[in-house]
Amino acid sequence: MDEPQAWIPTDPRSRPSHDQVVAGLKGVDEGGPELVQLLTPEGERVPDERFDRYAADITAEDLRSLYRDLVLVRRADREGNSLQRQGELGLWVPLLGQEAAQVGSGRALAPEDMCFPSYREHGVAWCRGVDPTELLGIFRGTDHGTWDPVATRFHPYTIVIGNQCLNAAGYAMGQRFESKVGGSVAGVGTADGVAGVGTADGDTGEATICYFGDGATSQGDVHEGFVWAAAYDAPLVFFCQNNQWAISVPAERQTRVPLYQRARGYGFPGVRVDGNDVLACLAVTRWALDECRTGNGPVLIEAFTYRMDSHTTSDDATRYRLADEVELWKLKDPIERVRVHLARRHGVGADFFDAVDAEADALGERMRAFCRAMPQPGPERMFSQVYAEPSPTVERQREEFLAYHASFADQEG
């Protein structure tokens, strides 16, 4: 088969060949009828009849703000990676290559929307007002994240693969039960130089978004979340970042159809978007959120992207994937296409790009200084924040531990 085509079942007993499976999963990574793309890797704006109107209000200034987001998020990620390599963090989960998927979708959210991340959504955290320094304690082992999930509308990171989909489904069902669905939000504006959702057009409804990777789609929790969200028309956007690798297992080993098509089996729409195109991710997520908040039920978005780094800093991606695959995806860099578009189509000069780079350097320095100055909590910290209300049992255990710790210290002294 010289040019394998995606498999279209015509007989329930038929099965796709390996080439057809791969073609169906990866056949649109250069663009095609299934992939939503508004900004090509070469920085050219291309039309899309369905989703253009969800990006029609994006100005050159908005694009500058999105570019700034992408650069600062990448720098924060690289700094976290470096801090782990220097022994300052126990682990880091990189997002290199996935900045557009996270920033585009994160900037589509309205202030009242709720977000449930996994453990790689540093870019979404940025869009929800969570400073990168607030992530460091998780990976240094000193806390579970210091942001307020109620104020930021950004849930704490979830380490158990796929569990956040159940949490998000339950939360979105609550939005439905409490009559918080019905209305739409559209428009991107800027505040303090950062792109964000603009003013609402009429009454607004709430929606929820849940992030997970392609590997998580093999977990039962994700499918249970699909079932519950569909059964109750929950206003929930399932946002799958398909970065092609579930640690060392490629996507074609996990599914026989493109991931977005799985939504059909649960009775709600699915769409595949170029996950390296921040403009397309913004537009598609706006559409999906509008579908949810106006009462049409859940939506699945598959952001087709690539994990340029290892799964975590404890992983070595060179053991299971080829270097030429990584080099191919470097040509689709999400930051470079916005930079080229700004320079060619909007006349943005070197002064702007240099200023953003300088701001990124300052962010990196601030993260390093913050990390190295973080206090080391005592072992009694394990007893804090166990329950919302005081617990006599936990308090007794804490007292016993402190007494034991004190006696142990006396023996060493």
Side-chain angles (χ1 to χ4, degrees):
M1 185 180 292
D2 296 331
E3 294 185 5
Q5 302 298 312
W7 177 64
I8 301 175
T10 56
D11 186 323
R13 296 170 296 179
S14 66
R15 292 289 183 270
S17 68
H18 175 74
D19 286 342
Q20 287 171 325
V21 169
V22 174
L25 292 167
K26 296 189 173 182
V28 298
D29 65 343
E30 297 291 346
E34 299 178 50
L35 187 75
V36 179
Q37 185 180 82
L38 301 182
L39 203 60
T40 70
E42 295 75 30
E44 291 296 322
R45 177 71 165 88
V46 291
D48 185 285
E49 183 177 345
R50 185 179 181 188
F51 293 103
D52 268 344
R53 68 189 185 94
Y54 290 94
D57 62 320
I58 302 298
T59 65
E61 188 59 35
D62 293 324
L63 285 171
R64 286 176 183 239
S65 295
L66 290 170
Y67 176 84
R68 172 181 176 271
D69 283 337
L70 295 171
V71 172
L72 294 183
V73 165
R74 176 170 291 184
R75 181 51 185 268
D77 172 69
R78 295 296 83 197
E79 199 60 46
N81 211 74
S82 296
L83 286 167
Q84 192 282 329
R85 297 306 191 199
Q86 295 162 12
E88 299 291 345
L89 302 178
L91 184 76
W92 184 254
V93 184
L95 61 73
L96 185 65
Q98 299 178 221
E99 297 90 353
Q102 295 193 15
V103 169
S105 60
R107 288 303 180 196
L109 293 166
E112 63 270 15
D113 293 334
M114 188 63 186
C115 176
F116 286 81
S118 62
Y119 46 70
R120 199 186 301 273
E121 277 67 58
H122 319 321
V124 184
W126 170 269
C127 295
R128 299 307 274 173
V130 176
D131 191 82
T133 57
E134 298 187 81
L135 306 174
L136 295 177
I138 303 172
F139 301 103
R140 194 175 173 91
T142 59
D143 57 62
H144 299 293
T146 57
W147 66 89
D148 182 348
V150 177
T152 60
R153 310 291 286 169
F154 186 75
H155 193 268
Y157 275 13
T158 302
I159 306 301
V160 179
I161 305 297
N163 184 249
Q164 69 274 18
C165 290
L166 287 175
N167 299 333
Y171 188 92
M173 287 165 61
Q175 290 174 314
R176 183 82 181 188
F177 296 154
E178 294 175 3
S179 301
K180 294 182 177 179
V181 178
S184 63
V185 174
V188 164
T190 57
D192 298 327
V194 181
V197 176
T199 58
D201 181 16
D203 295 333
T204 64
E206 292 186 9
T208 295
I209 191 168
C210 177
Y211 291 88
F212 53 96
D214 50 294
T217 63
S218 296
Q219 292 290 117
D221 286 7
V222 175
H223 295 275
E224 290 177 24
F226 287 177
V227 169
W228 283 97
Y232 285 89
D233 283 334
L236 176 56
V237 176
F238 293 101
F239 196 95
C240 175
Q241 294 174 83
N242 179 3
N243 63 24
Q244 313 301 318
W245 290 95
I247 307 183
S248 59
V249 179
E252 61 263 26
R253 290 285 301 277
Q254 301 185 72
T255 178
R256 287 179 167 174
V257 297
L259 295 178
Y260 78 95
Q261 291 184 7
R262 287 185 167 185
R264 297 177 184 174
Y266 300 92
F268 54 85
V271 61
R272 175 183 271 185
V273 63
D274 183 345
N276 286 19
D277 178 355
V278 69
L279 197 58
C281 288
L282 175 68
V284 169
T285 308
R286 280 178 164 186
W287 163 79
L289 290 166
D290 267 0
E291 286 289 297
C292 290
R293 63 169 54 95
T294 51
N296 291 333
V299 175
L300 171 63
I301 297 174
E302 177 194 356
F304 200 84
T305 181
Y306 192 80
R307 191 193 77 215
M308 297 298 295
D309 208 337
S310 295
H311 175 69
T312 69
T313 49
S314 65
D315 172 43
D316 180 7
T318 63
R319 299 180 62 183
Y320 53 81
R321 69 183 185 189
L322 300 175
D324 59 352
E325 181 178 299
V326 179
E327 291 301 315
L328 174 66
W329 278 89
K330 284 182 180 179
L331 301 176
K332 305 169 189 176
D333 183 78
I335 296 179
E336 188 60 26
R337 68 178 68 185
V338 181
R339 181 187 181 96
V340 171
H341 181 76
L342 284 171
R344 291 180 178 174
R345 298 296 300 272
H346 299 284
V348 177
D351 289 348
F352 168 75
F353 299 117
D354 291 345
V356 173
D357 289 342
E359 189 177 359
D361 289 341
L363 175 60
E365 292 176 5
R366 183 164 63 84
M367 287 182 65
R368 284 197 301 276
F370 182 93
C371 185
R372 290 168 178 164
M374 291 176 71
Q376 186 73 18
E380 71 278 2
R381 176 88 191 290
M382 73 177 81
F383 299 100
S384 66
Q385 300 180 13
V386 177
Y387 298 108
E389 302 294 334
S391 166
T393 301
V394 173
E395 185 58 31
R396 184 177 67 253
Q397 292 174 342
R398 179 178 179 276
E399 292 173 357
E400 291 173 355
F401 172 80
L402 290 175
Y404 168 78
H405 193 266
S407 64
F408 184 76
D410 291 342
Q411 292 176 13
E412 285 198 336

